[in-house]
Amino acid sequence: MDKKKRLITSALPYVNNIPHLGTLIGCVLSADVFYKYCQISKIDSLFICGTDEYGTTTETRAIQEKMTPKQLCDKYYKIHKDIYDWFQIDFSYFGRTSDPKQTEIVQEIFLKLYNNGYIIKDKLIQPYCENDKIFLADRYIEGTCPSCKYENAKGDQCENCGKLLNPSELINAKCTLCGNTPIFKETKHLFLDLEKIKTELEKWINKTSKKGNWSNNALSITKGWLDQGLLKRCITRDLKWGIPVPLEDYKDKVFYVWFDAPIGYISITATKFKDWQNWWKNPDEIDLYQFMGKDNIPFHTIIFPSTLIGTKDNWTMLKTISSTEYLNYEDVKFSKSRGTGVFGDQVKETGIDSDLYRYYLLRNRPEKNDTQFYWIDFMEKVNGEIIANYANLVNRVMQFIDKFFDGIVPDFHDKKSIYASINIKNNVKEIIDLYEEIELKKALLKILDMSSIGNKFFQDNEPWSSVKTDKELAKNIIGSLACFVKDISILLYPYIPKTIIKVFDLLNLKKDDILLKNINNKDLIVNKKIKKPAILFNKLEKEQIEQFRLKFSGQQKTEEKEGFNKLHLKAGKIIEVKRHPRADKLYIEKVDLGNNEIRQIVSGLVPYYKEEELLNKKIILVYNLKPAVLRGEKSEGMLLAAENENREIVEVISPDCNIGDIISIDDAEPNISEISIEEFFSVPLTVDNFEIKYEDKNLKVNNKKITVQQVKEGKVG
């Protein structure tokens, strides 16, 4: 293990965006787990984050809320801080980019870039809204992407294909504030000359990405930028709320938020710690780990490193970047305005322990691909894994000690203990290696596997019997399990910290005892009295979960939804086909929908398809169709097929996409409420020249049209 100190940062959340569960797992929560791991490993570390407060979005929101930008930032900073405190996020310091230190350090870095010849003066055509009388920030422009034709691309980047954009490139650009078409006005600006820094930057990327074991998406996105060519990047804006440019000819400009925001890591550290340069200008002794969602990658692997390289100072540079894909909510995007998804200021309302949210988000961390927050999956994994596995083991061991050994943890000998059944040293090493590689989901699952071994050992050895016939054997079983509970609790601490502190308190141990070096140290607890056992978690009930699912499903009721908005269509793959035992024309199919979800459906395809033709075929499932029983077999949805007028041809619609992908039309959000078969048939889907349509709109997946090969004109059912 590297003995260097560790500087850990989490992407700075924008101040007036209340974080939802997806943003939490993408940056602060993942970083917090790694920081807590460093703490229990006794690795000297610093965890820095804060609110990103400058820019047009703050100015505009302040106008909407009838307050100054500073007042707005004060209000939302507290909201952010309260949310992270509730989630047990232990920042070394959670600061703000509006602090005076930010202005001082940003201007100092800029002047070094300027004096070193890395700043270019040029003119820029910028969108200006004549209705709102302001230049529009890139994120306040929306239009059609010139590359993939996605119709809701923002002015700085298309979230569909990932292409970086300038607002002037958008087709049919609109101001998102008022909907008017902006004009484009010429205005002078300053640019960072990335092309001039490219050679040194590429050399650094090639070396660091291997040494730091960058995540795949971080590497591919960074390489994509390099392959496209590094153009000059504008670093100024025509705003008032921001850091002033320290040049006379540009005193009416401020720095673009994406130039100054990453420098916030440095200034926030400097605001709190006088020895900040020992962390940020000390690359020989400090390793920098940065956590973020995939949309932030290029700013941390291209823009920020180029900025630091251009100063020619000896900065601590990024070593390891841990970037996630997206966590979505029940197949739709989190949206505060639509009321879909759980946001950080709402979690307390649910009454569910923060550690259970932490557990599920980390268990479901979108490390390799996008994942979903599903309430039912949340309940099943919480009840079936953390409660039925870990919490159950803790409770039954402590109850046994309390009942049969007067609350005193019995001593034990390794030969007849759980430690004879599991190589604790090898298991701990494997988990530590996973932590070091920031494979946080794998590390968590490995710890749960160990907990399962503890439960099996308890069950197989039946201490409730041996305590009556062979008390020494019972002591070995229970004493070793108590020590084992301590060990896996230490390993679990970064994930569910509040609970582990409670377990250690029940064991009459201190929080300071939660250290990796105390694993397999039985002297810490044997022959010592524990406290009265207590339940760690309340089991989640289905009725309670369904209420939350409805509450956070959006503002529209099912009956208010019209047309295509009634539907929720999802791609799946048939993984099993068999004939219905009581119906000649029906098949029973098992459909894989991703995220470990398998559904059974019944379809009338026997006259049209052989079993082997359907096996492994991708389909479109009506995901929110109310389950039905068809001739004695449950059907949880319906696959879509195209048919010609006389139903001579029936063709299963097989989309070219990943299982779990959402199939929709432009601007339609999937309906997560159940619908009847009558409601489905009230939405006429048709085939027009081999294309699947609703009215005049194409059915699409990932912005690609859904088509069939055999049916030119017809309907879908």
Side-chain angles (χ1 to χ4, degrees):
M1 188 188 298
D2 199 327
K3 297 299 182 183
K4 284 185 176 183
K5 294 180 180 180
R6 292 177 174 179
L7 178 56
I8 301 162
T9 72
S10 168
L12 306 183
Y14 201 74
V15 69
N16 60 17
N17 290 337
I18 295 175
H20 54 66
L21 298 181
T23 50
L24 280 159
I25 187 57
C27 48
V28 294
L29 182 53
S30 296
D32 182 66
V33 171
F34 187 68
Y35 177 57
K36 284 182 167 68
Y37 156 71
C38 292
Q39 287 180 310
I40 65 175
S41 303
K42 298 297 283 186
I43 299 169
D44 196 357
S45 305
L46 211 60
F47 179 20
I48 298 297
C49 190
T51 43
D52 176 10
E53 301 192 355
Y54 286 127
T56 301
T57 47
T58 300
E59 275 190 357
T60 307
R61 186 66 166 268
I63 292 168
Q64 292 171 347
E65 298 200 20
K66 296 181 172 54
M67 57 179 69
T68 67
K70 178 65 167 62
Q71 289 170 331
L72 184 92
C73 292
D74 290 346
K75 170 186 172 180
Y76 281 94
Y77 173 82
K78 185 179 185 307
I79 291 172
H80 276 268
K81 187 69 169 61
D82 289 347
I83 290 168
Y84 303 137
D85 287 347
W86 189 83
F87 273 98
Q88 311 291 311
I89 309 293
D90 290 330
F91 302 111
S92 302
Y93 183 57
F94 184 73
R96 308 172 64 171
T97 60
S98 61
D99 189 277
K101 269 289 179 190
Q102 174 79 344
T103 299
E104 176 189 325
I105 293 175
V106 168
Q107 290 182 340
E108 180 184 324
I109 285 174
F110 165 76
L111 288 173
K112 287 185 177 181
L113 289 166
Y114 182 76
N115 293 330
N116 291 339
Y118 292 113
I119 300 298
I120 299 171
K121 296 179 179 179
D122 205 346
K123 292 181 179 178
L124 191 69
I125 304 296
Q126 272 192 268
Y128 182 83
C129 182
E130 293 182 299
N131 181 62
D132 296 310
K133 301 287 189 289
I134 56 171
F135 282 98
L136 295 167
D138 297 344
R139 302 296 286 179
Y140 276 75
I141 293 285
E142 203 168 82
T144 300
C145 173
S147 179
C148 71
K149 307 307 179 195
Y150 177 64
E151 295 182 0
N152 300 112
K154 300 293 185 184
D156 58 350
Q157 188 173 17
C158 175
E159 65 181 31
N160 185 57
C161 70
K163 182 177 175 60
L164 293 168
L165 300 167
N166 286 316
S168 58
E169 296 179 87
L170 289 175
I171 302 166
N172 298 324
K174 300 288 183 186
C175 168
T176 61
L177 299 175
C178 66
N180 287 350
T181 300
I183 63 170
F184 287 85
K185 296 173 67 172
E186 187 177 82
T187 175
K188 62 182 182 180
H189 281 285
L190 297 170
F191 297 76
L192 179 62
D193 191 354
L194 291 174
E195 184 61 34
K196 195 171 183 179
I197 303 172
K198 182 179 179 182
T199 301
E200 197 170 347
L201 177 69
E202 276 194 293
K203 182 180 175 183
W204 171 80
I205 288 171
N206 291 333
K207 178 182 176 182
T208 306
S209 60
K210 292 176 184 175
K211 179 184 174 185
N213 191 29
W214 287 12
S215 51
N216 289 334
N217 61 357
L219 197 55
S220 62
I221 289 172
T222 303
K223 292 291 187 184
W225 265 57
L226 294 174
D227 292 344
Q228 289 176 22
L230 293 182
L231 306 175
K232 62 186 180 183
R233 189 79 177 174
C234 184
I235 62 169
T236 53
R237 285 292 183 267
D238 292 287
L239 302 173
K240 300 202 183 319
W241 179 245
I243 296 172
V245 176
L247 294 178
E248 184 61 30
D249 291 346
Y250 294 84
K251 62 183 180 181
D252 58 336
K253 312 282 185 185
V254 300
F255 287 111
Y256 179 35
V257 68
W258 265 116
F259 175 74
D260 88 80
I263 299 172
Y265 300 127
I266 301 169
S267 74
I268 288 168
T269 311
T271 299
K272 180 69 174 178
F273 302 100
K274 291 181 180 179
D275 65 342
W276 69 271
Q277 294 195 37
N278 290 338
W279 291 94
W280 280 104
K281 291 191 173 182
N282 192 7
D284 293 334
E285 295 183 21
I286 306 293
D287 279 335
L288 174 58
Y289 293 78
Q290 298 197 285
F291 290 77
M292 67 205 66
K294 64 182 176 182
D295 52 334
N296 285 332
I297 289 169
F299 302 103
H300 291 78
T301 61
I302 300 286
I303 303 295
F304 187 39
S306 296
T307 300
L308 298 181
I309 288 169
T311 66
K312 301 191 182 301
D313 285 347
N314 192 33
W315 291 102
T316 300
M317 302 280 287
L318 167 70
K319 176 198 171 189
T320 298
I321 181 170
S322 178
S323 48
T324 62
E325 302 292 318
Y326 295 134
L327 174 77
N328 295 314
Y329 179 82
E330 298 266 357
D331 294 324
V332 299
K333 292 179 181 178
F334 286 87
S335 171
K336 193 77 169 177
S337 61
R338 289 193 300 270
T340 53
V342 186
F343 284 72
D345 58 344
Q346 299 168 323
V347 285
K348 293 180 189 177
E349 301 172 15
T350 65
I352 297 172
D353 194 297
S354 62
D355 273 355
L356 295 182
Y357 282 107
R358 284 181 64 109
Y359 168 74
Y360 180 69
L361 292 173
L362 291 156
R363 170 71 172 81
N364 201 27
R365 187 172 184 252
E367 294 176 343
K368 312 296 184 198
N369 49 267
D370 291 354
T371 59
Q372 302 284 339
F373 180 96
Y374 292 120
W375 277 107
I376 294 297
D377 189 52
F378 175 55
M379 178 188 73
E380 290 174 350
K381 286 197 167 55
V382 161
N383 288 346
E385 295 176 356
I386 201 67
I387 295 179
N389 184 350
Y390 170 71
N392 179 55
L393 178 62
V394 173
N395 186 60
R396 67 200 306 198
V397 170
M398 290 194 173
Q399 291 281 5
F400 207 95
I401 294 170
D402 182 63
K403 183 175 181 180
F404 294 103
F405 298 109
D406 298 322
I408 306 292
V409 178
D411 200 353
F412 62 93
H413 305 290
D414 283 346
K415 285 185 178 179
K416 293 185 178 181
S417 77
I418 188 172
Y419 293 99
S421 305
I422 181 172
N423 189 323
I424 190 75
K425 185 176 180 180
N426 285 353
N427 275 270
V428 171
K429 182 184 182 303
E430 185 178 340
I431 290 164
I432 288 173
D433 288 345
L434 290 170
Y435 268 124
E436 286 293 319
E437 293 161 10
I438 316 183
E439 293 280 1
L440 303 183
K441 187 190 297 185
K442 285 184 180 178
L444 176 56
L445 293 175
K446 180 66 181 175
I447 300 166
L448 291 175
D449 285 345
M450 289 179 66
S451 181
S452 295
I453 291 170
N455 274 304
K456 187 175 187 303
F457 181 82
F458 189 103
Q459 203 66 26
D460 290 349
N461 284 276
E462 301 180 350
W464 55 88
S465 297
S466 58
V467 76
K468 300 170 185 175
T469 58
D470 187 347
K471 199 151 189 177
E472 285 304 310
L473 176 59
K475 285 181 178 180
N476 269 287
I477 296 167
I478 297 301
S480 66
L481 279 172
C483 191
F484 187 71
V485 162
K486 166 186 63 68
D487 293 349
I488 58 176
S489 296
I490 291 170
L491 294 168
L492 268 177
Y493 170 73
Y495 296 95
I496 49 172
K498 186 172 66 172
T499 304
I500 300 308
I501 291 170
K502 182 177 180 180
V503 170
F504 263 57
D505 182 60
L506 292 172
L507 290 170
N508 260 322
L509 297 174
K510 299 174 183 176
K511 180 184 176 183
D512 293 344
D513 292 319
I514 306 174
L515 299 170
L516 291 180
K517 70 176 185 179
N518 284 330
I519 289 178
N520 210 14
N521 175 9
K522 72 174 186 176
D523 293 337
L524 206 60
I525 63 170
V526 296
N527 297 320
K528 295 181 181 176
K529 191 171 181 66
I530 66 169
K531 294 181 179 178
K532 279 286 181 184
I535 297 295
L536 298 183
F537 300 111
N538 292 316
K539 186 179 177 182
L540 302 182
E541 300 296 337
K542 189 167 185 179
E543 183 179 306
Q544 166 196 26
I545 290 302
E546 284 297 336
Q547 288 175 351
F548 293 140
R549 187 168 177 262
L550 181 61
K551 178 177 180 178
F552 298 109
S553 65
Q555 296 170 344
Q556 285 184 305
K557 305 296 185 194
T558 306
E559 61 269 21
E560 294 170 345
K561 290 182 179 285
E562 297 179 354
F564 194 90
N565 290 316
K566 293 179 182 178
L567 304 185
H568 186 169
L569 305 181
K570 185 183 284 195
K573 184 172 78 171
I574 297 174
I575 58 172
E576 181 183 307
V577 189
K578 63 182 180 181
R579 295 288 291 268
H580 195 299
R582 290 175 292 279
D584 293 341
K585 295 183 179 181
L586 299 181
Y587 281 127
I588 301 170
E589 298 110 336
K590 293 286 177 66
V591 180
D592 183 357
L593 293 156
N595 285 311
N596 299 313
E597 183 179 11
I598 309 293
R599 285 196 184 184
Q600 176 175 293
I601 63 170
V602 177
S603 67
L605 293 173
V606 172
Y608 306 101
Y609 284 88
K610 296 177 181 177
E611 293 174 42
E612 58 269 24
E613 291 175 323
L614 290 174
L615 189 62
N616 295 319
K617 192 174 188 66
K618 287 183 180 173
I619 65 160
I620 297 175
L621 187 79
V622 184
Y623 187 73
N624 65 328
L625 189 65
K626 186 177 181 179
V629 177
L630 303 178
R631 302 293 294 274
E633 294 289 340
K634 188 175 183 180
S635 185
E636 302 170 290
M638 179 179 75
L639 62 76
L640 294 187
E643 56 188 64
N644 63 1
E645 185 176 353
N646 298 321
R647 214 165 187 261
E648 295 167 345
I649 302 173
V650 173
E651 180 181 356
V652 172
I653 303 171
S654 189
D656 179 18
C657 62
N658 296 319
I659 60 174
D661 282 353
I662 302 303
I663 285 84
S664 190
I665 60 173
D666 295 336
D667 304 323
E669 289 281 3
N671 175 21
I672 66 174
S673 299
E674 287 184 350
I675 60 170
S676 66
I677 189 69
E678 291 78 17
E679 286 177 293
F680 167 74
F681 282 117
S682 72
V683 183
L685 298 177
T686 60
V687 188
D688 181 8
N689 196 27
F690 300 106
E691 296 178 352
I692 310 301
K693 293 190 174 185
Y694 169 71
E695 295 180 343
D696 61 343
K697 294 185 177 181
N698 282 88
L699 205 62
K700 296 179 181 179
V701 59
N702 301 325
N703 219 38
K704 294 184 296 186
K705 294 178 182 178
I706 302 287
T707 61
V708 289
Q709 296 180 338
Q710 301 174 48
V711 179
K712 184 176 182 180
E713 307 289 336
K715 65 179 182 178
V716 175

